[in-house]
Amino acid sequence: MIENPYIEFKKQRELGDVLSDTFAFMRSQFKTFFPVFFKIVGPYLLLMVIALVFYLYYVGDQFNFMIQNQNFEGMDMLTIFGLASFYFVTLLLVYALSQSTVLHYVKSYTAGKGEIDFQAIRSDVYASLPSFVGLIFLVAISLIVGLVICCFPMIYLWVPLSLAFGIMVFEKKGAITAYGDSFRLVKDEWWITFATMVVVTIIVAIAGYAFALPTTMYNYAKMGILSGEVDAESMMEIFKDPIYILLNVVSSIAQFMLNIITLVAGAFIYFNLNEKKNFTGTNERIQNLGQRPE
């Protein structure tokens, strides 16, 4: 009996198949994927956690000092801005590395028919990091402009641009080329792609809410909202509470782990659309029909 059967990415799938195969892939690759993920992303994830802890603690300390001394202009905004900026940089770095690691893992998995090459994955992740960061900024700016214009343009852009990262990895294209090709990939398939992405997003959001709920409930309890006795000083002291900080850290890490589901689903969506337009996987299987294993 095969313990981890190979899951073919390069084939057409319906919405239900994308969802079921995403979770089947996560289950089958759990023991292999996460060691690879944490070896590459782990050190930077730890740095992000440290940045978050320092930011939350310092902001809480400043607010507490401000209330106790009734000095509402005495906050050290420069330090707060510096800590916030450092946290944003680590957040961006972890997001880029996470996305790159997942996609390059899938690339190695498909190339090796279920076998992965850790050294190649790590090398490709670090080599493509500048391109990923650049594409993240390009996508973010586009979505912000779409939101400013109106909500619908942002939603329209979200669908193809979410797949631009997969194009960059699987087709070995630059950030700008992948950005443009993403619109051609979803042409005539926008609605079904949108529906698939919305379902995946809802599933991940519900799971994320379950991790965020303890933080919210603890926050309400500490501030007295649940008992109806709101204390302004307690509202500020919550930011220095070790339990509150710990819950925030756990929630942030959980969000990144859950985002992996979205990225894997995105890879399946990319291959589904690519197969419909280019028949890449079909052509490969036809070419391999006459080959015999050595």
Side-chain angles (χ1 to χ4, degrees), residues 30-287:
F30 184 87
K31 294 181 180 180
T32 307
F33 171 76
F34 282 103
V36 171
F37 182 85
F38 282 112
K39 284 178 182 178
I40 298 174
V41 185
Y44 303 93
L45 183 61
L46 178 61
L47 188 63
M48 187 202 75
V49 168
I50 293 173
L52 176 61
V53 170
F54 270 98
Y55 173 73
L56 289 174
Y57 187 85
Y58 190 80
V59 169
D61 186 63
Q62 286 292 298
F63 272 116
N64 190 41
F65 176 83
M66 181 182 67
I67 290 178
Q68 289 181 353
N69 294 276
Q70 296 298 308
N71 181 8
F72 297 97
E73 297 180 356
M75 293 187 66
D76 186 357
M77 296 304 300
L78 183 61
T79 303
I80 292 176
F81 176 78
L83 290 174
S85 299
F86 180 61
Y87 173 63
F88 173 78
V89 170
T90 59
L91 185 68
L92 174 64
L93 187 60
V94 170
Y95 181 77
L97 287 170
S98 298
Q99 188 148 355
S100 182
T101 300
V102 171
L103 293 177
H104 280 103
Y105 184 95
V106 171
K107 181 181 178 181
S108 180
Y109 176 87
T110 56
K113 298 299 181 182
E115 299 294 329
I116 61 104
D117 184 346
F118 171 72
Q119 297 300 330
I121 294 172
R122 183 171 61 179
S123 177
D124 289 342
V125 167
Y126 291 143
S128 63
L129 182 58
S131 296
F132 265 86
V133 172
L135 186 55
I136 287 173
F137 275 112
L138 194 58
V139 169
I141 292 172
S142 300
L143 294 179
I144 291 172
V145 171
L147 179 62
V148 171
I149 295 174
C150 184
C151 186
F152 181 75
M154 185 194 71
I155 297 174
Y156 173 79
L157 291 171
W158 169 61
V159 174
L161 294 182
S162 297
L163 303 176
F165 299 93
I167 294 174
M168 187 168 65
V169 171
F170 301 127
E171 299 182 19
K172 299 180 181 179
K173 295 184 176 180
I176 296 178
T177 304
Y179 180 96
D181 286 354
S182 65
F183 293 93
R184 287 190 284 273
L185 183 66
V186 301
K187 186 179 180 181
D188 301 325
E189 300 287 343
W190 189 91
W191 281 108
I192 186 61
T193 306
F194 170 72
T196 307
M197 292 174 62
V198 166
V199 172
V200 173
T201 301
I202 291 174
I203 293 174
V204 172
I206 292 174
Y209 178 75
F211 283 99
L213 187 60
T215 307
T216 303
M217 297 304 296
Y218 184 80
N219 192 9
Y220 286 167
K222 287 289 290 185
M223 292 190 302
I225 294 177
L226 296 180
S227 62
E229 300 177 357
V230 180
D231 183 4
E233 187 172 346
S234 296
M235 292 176 65
M236 294 301 104
E237 288 182 349
I238 188 69
F239 291 101
K240 295 180 62 177
D241 190 321
I243 298 178
Y244 173 79
I245 293 175
L246 177 62
L247 290 174
N248 258 288
V249 168
V250 172
S251 178
S252 297
I253 294 176
Q255 294 296 329
F256 272 97
M257 295 297 100
L258 289 171
N259 188 52
I260 293 174
I261 298 174
T262 305
L263 298 176
V264 172
F268 277 111
I269 293 171
Y270 161 80
F271 281 110
N272 171 52
L273 296 176
N274 184 61
E275 192 64 23
K276 287 183 177 180
K277 294 181 180 296
N278 303 315
F279 303 101
T280 305
T282 302
N283 291 332
E284 287 183 1
R285 285 189 288 273
I286 292 174
Q287 292 174 4

